[in-house]
């Protein structure tokens, strides 16, 4: 669906959706994950070495912080959060960063970052927080396994993700807040592993974050999948030297989201043009028949093609799962 001019029916539909969510969310959003308290994380020096020893030390410090957040969640009476944190504190888990406050900010490493020659940074979309982290973790694990040895996947939950049913998900505001952090993180990873091939993979609202950060990301690939838009009208407006890819599953409901932007007195409404249209200018890869949450599903066309892109290979032309 191509971006349409201001005042068109899709944008009127978007405005109607904004009004509806503005009314519904105060009623439905009473219990947010941010309500669970957590201690402030220990201040960590910038990570300047990717040696196994330096990484192991950082993982250990964050493990202590996760356990402290677990105890606080338990004391608060949130057993589900406490159980999730208990799993995150396991000896095999590797966190470059952890802050359990306000829904949680985390960066988990899958694979061997110290030796990785191919690195993918996963930027998730709405409703990704400590209480709903399992899906992102499963996808990151699947991608790292598809990539194989000498690879690492970094699941970056470095921003306050919007709720899927909220006014925030219809505007680029949260993306604007997140973009500086994503630029800083990707820049730090590039310095840690300067010889590694680095790609940023952006799912759903995460594509809006990546679009806002794009001009400051020195990466090989910027991959938008299941994207409602990247906050711009075309690839040129991203001002990035990266190869920009876009993919959407055949059964992804995001195809029905109105595209375009409206400038309103309070800010911008809408998330830009549809990245899979020819007018946008991205290289479109086959994503198979899956839905909005199926892109990193083991055995899927989308997972195989994402891994091929991260590895510097051309994606396949398959149109459906085998």
């Amino acid at each position: 669906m191509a971006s349409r001019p201001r005042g068109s029916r899709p944008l009127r539909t978007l405005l109607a959706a904004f009004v509806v969510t503005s009314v519904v969310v105060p009623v439905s959003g009473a219990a947010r994950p941010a309500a669970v308290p957590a201690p402030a994380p220990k201040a960590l020096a910038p990570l300047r070495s990717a040696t196994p020893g330096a990484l192991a030390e950082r993982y250990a410090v964050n493990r202590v912080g996760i356990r402290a957040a677990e105890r606080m969640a338990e004391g608060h009476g949130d057993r589900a959060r406490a159980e999730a944190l208990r799993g995150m504190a396991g000896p095999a888990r590797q966190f470059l960063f952890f802050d359990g406050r306000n829904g949680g900010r985390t960066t988990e490493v899958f694979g061997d970052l110290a030796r990785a020659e191919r690195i993918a940074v996963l930027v998730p979309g709405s409703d990704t927080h400590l209480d709903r982290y399992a899906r992102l973790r499963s996808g990151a694990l699947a991608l790292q396994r598809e990539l194989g040895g000498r690879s690492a996947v970094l699941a970056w939950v470095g921003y306050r993700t919007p709720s899927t049913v909220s006014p925030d998900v219809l505007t680029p505001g949260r993306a604007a807040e997140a973009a500086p952090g994503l630029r800083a993180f990707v820049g730090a990873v590039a310095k840690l592993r300067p010889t590694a091939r680095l790609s940023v993979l952006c799912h759903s609202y995460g594509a809006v974050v990546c679009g806002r950060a794009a001009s400051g990301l020195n990466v090989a690939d910027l991959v938008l999948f299941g994207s409602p838009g990247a906050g711009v009208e075309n690839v040129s407006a991203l001002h990035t030297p990266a190869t920009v890819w876009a993919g959407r599953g055949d059964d992804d409901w995001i195809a029905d989201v109105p595209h375009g932007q409206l400038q309103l007195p309070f800010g911008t409404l809408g998330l830009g043009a549809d990245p899979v249209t020819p007018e946008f200018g991205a290289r479109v890869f086959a994503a198979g028949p899956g839905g909005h949450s199926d892109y990193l599903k083991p055995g899927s066309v989308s997972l195989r093609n994402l891994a091929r892109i991260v590895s510097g290979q051309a994606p396949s032309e398959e149109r459906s799962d085998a």
Side-chain angles (χ1 to χ4, degrees):
M1 184 185 305
S3 178
R4 291 173 170 82
R6 187 177 302 177
S8 66
R9 182 176 178 181
L11 289 179
R12 291 200 301 271
T13 303
L14 186 63
L15 183 58
F18 181 84
V19 172
V20 169
T21 52
S22 296
V23 174
V24 171
V25 169
V27 177
S28 64
R32 291 287 291 145
V36 184
K42 180 180 178 180
L44 295 171
L47 184 59
R48 295 191 173 92
S49 172
T51 63
L55 290 171
E57 182 179 350
R58 195 175 187 92
Y59 299 155
V61 170
N62 285 314
R63 192 170 296 117
V64 171
I66 295 169
R67 287 172 178 152
E70 176 201 336
R71 291 192 294 271
M72 190 169 284
E74 190 76 53
H76 183 69
D78 195 317
R79 294 182 179 178
R81 171 70 65 85
E83 183 177 354
L85 291 169
R86 196 171 302 119
M88 294 173 80
R93 304 289 289 271
Q94 305 176 138
F95 284 89
L96 286 175
F97 180 77
F98 176 83
D99 183 347
R101 298 172 297 176
N102 195 28
R105 309 285 189 279
T106 68
T107 302
E108 187 168 10
V109 178
F110 301 85
D112 187 354
L113 181 57
R115 298 177 177 84
E117 296 173 354
R118 296 155 294 156
I119 300 173
V121 177
L122 274 181
V123 182
S126 59
D127 279 322
T128 305
H129 43 71
L130 292 179
D131 296 337
R132 294 186 178 179
Y133 179 70
R135 178 177 290 168
L136 177 63
R137 180 174 188 267
S138 296
L141 277 168
L143 179 58
Q144 199 280 321
R145 288 166 180 160
E146 187 74 22
L147 288 166
R150 295 286 184 174
S151 70
V153 175
L154 312 181
W156 184 82
V157 188
Y159 74 109
R160 190 168 52 110
T161 64
S163 170
T164 301
V165 184
S166 74
D168 290 327
V169 83
L170 302 176
T171 76
R174 294 286 179 93
E177 293 176 5
L182 180 60
R183 288 192 193 112
F185 175 70
V186 172
V189 173
K191 289 179 180 178
L192 280 178
R193 298 290 302 154
T195 62
R197 191 176 197 282
L198 183 56
S199 303
V200 179
L201 277 54
C202 320
H203 178 239
S204 193
Y205 190 87
V208 191
V209 176
C210 291
R212 183 58 68 101
S215 62
L217 301 178
N218 185 18
V219 297
D221 303 287
L222 191 66
V223 189
L224 316 175
F225 57 106
S227 168
V232 296
E233 292 304 300
N234 52 52
V235 166
S236 296
L238 292 173
H239 302 293
T240 176
T243 300
V244 179
W245 300 86
R248 185 164 64 214
D250 296 342
D251 294 328
D252 190 342
W253 57 262
I254 208 77
D256 298 321
V257 171
H259 293 93
Q261 289 186 318
L262 279 171
Q263 296 299 326
L264 299 175
F266 60 82
T268 302
L269 177 63
L271 303 175
D274 186 345
V276 301
T277 60
E279 295 81 5
F280 188 80
R283 297 184 63 177
V284 178
F285 65 93
H292 193 63
S293 300
D294 296 333
Y295 290 93
L296 298 174
K297 183 179 178 181
S300 65
V301 171
S302 53
L303 178 65
R304 290 197 294 270
N305 279 339
L306 287 168
R308 290 179 68 87
I309 291 169
V310 171
S311 299
Q313 304 173 44
S316 71
E317 296 301 322
E318 296 174 84
R319 294 297 173 183
S320 62
D321 288 337

